[in-house]
Amino acid sequence: LETDLGQKGIAKCDDEAHWLILRKPYITSTNSATIMGVNSYESRIGLWAIKTGKMQEEFEDKLVMQIGRMLEPIIGQLAMEHYNVSAFKDTDLHIRGADKIATSLDYVCEKPSEEMMAMHPDIKPDSIVILECKNVGENAYRNLWVDNKPPLYIQCQVQHQLMCTGYDFA
């Protein structure tokens, strides 16, 4: 774990099993929606019980999650082509240990393109941008994505990612 980043550190993850172990003691981006009360799949009390060791975390690798993992590289590549930008797959765990929070990212763009900055004026030439990939079915998109904006639980996740990394935009 690199700790020369002040409050922030980066843990290198060997594989998914290692990643699951490393992230266990932290509040993660996925947990942020639960804490904010906008995760319809987990309660605050359930998260508390898991994080305090009073209950074991049950993980069911559902088909929709498997599909999402399979499509993530394709979605990432399409986003890079859409924005005419280069990005790398980020497999690290970004940690703010003093705050007991951590996050994982999909892709990171270290140099935004002109197209990206034109579409999103808040992005500056020196911004580091997170590309968060989501596979959304038509019904979920129609019911949850208002005015082409992601639902609140995804916005919580992305805000948590920005807080953990210190990056500029997602």
Side-chain angles (χ1 to χ4, degrees):
L1 178 65
E2 298 172 18
T3 57
D4 61 340
L5 301 173
Q7 296 276 345
K8 296 179 220 158
I10 297 174
K12 301 290 181 190
C13 300
D14 300 330
D15 54 31
E16 186 174 6
H18 185 225
W19 172 76
L20 287 169
I21 291 167
L22 288 174
R23 71 192 290 273
K24 192 171 188 165
Y26 299 102
I27 299 297
T28 65
S29 299
T30 308
N31 302 143
S32 66
T34 301
I35 289 170
M36 298 305 292
V38 294
N39 182 349
S40 57
Y41 302 103
E42 183 176 45
S43 71
R44 291 177 184 158
I45 192 76
L47 176 62
W48 170 84
I50 289 167
K51 292 298 181 180
T52 58
K54 297 185 184 331
M55 189 171 96
Q56 283 288 85
E57 186 170 16
E58 294 180 21
F59 179 75
E60 182 184 344
D61 197 18
K62 297 180 180 177
L63 179 61
V64 69
M65 296 166 76
Q66 294 170 19
I67 292 169
R69 282 194 306 275
M70 289 178 73
L71 290 177
E72 182 184 299
I74 297 166
I75 295 168
Q77 185 61 43
L78 288 169
M80 287 181 248
E81 290 174 11
H82 176 73
Y83 286 114
N84 190 28
V85 72
S86 176
F88 66 89
K89 176 72 180 139
D90 189 323
T91 58
D92 299 331
L93 184 66
H94 299 260
I95 299 169
R96 286 181 55 143
D99 299 324
K100 302 223 183 291
I101 60 175
T103 193
S104 301
L105 307 174
D106 293 336
Y107 294 88
V108 175
C109 169
E110 293 182 320
K111 183 169 180 8
S113 65
E114 294 294 327
E115 292 88 342
M116 187 180 275
M117 291 185 289
M119 292 171 126
H120 304 284
D122 291 336
I123 299 176
K124 305 298 179 227
D126 61 345
S127 294
I128 297 177
V129 179
I130 298 168
L131 294 179
E132 179 64 26
C133 300
K134 296 297 181 197
N135 174 40
V136 182
E138 183 179 351
N139 286 338
Y141 182 80
R142 184 179 24 233
N143 295 330
L144 299 174
W145 294 61
V146 179
D147 295 329
N148 203 28
K149 292 183 181 150
L152 192 52
Y153 73 92
I154 293 174
Q155 293 180 44
C156 286
Q157 176 185 357
V158 169
Q159 290 297 320
H160 189 274
Q161 291 172 337
L162 294 168
M163 184 172 56
C164 286
T165 62
Y167 294 164
D168 305 311
F169 200 85

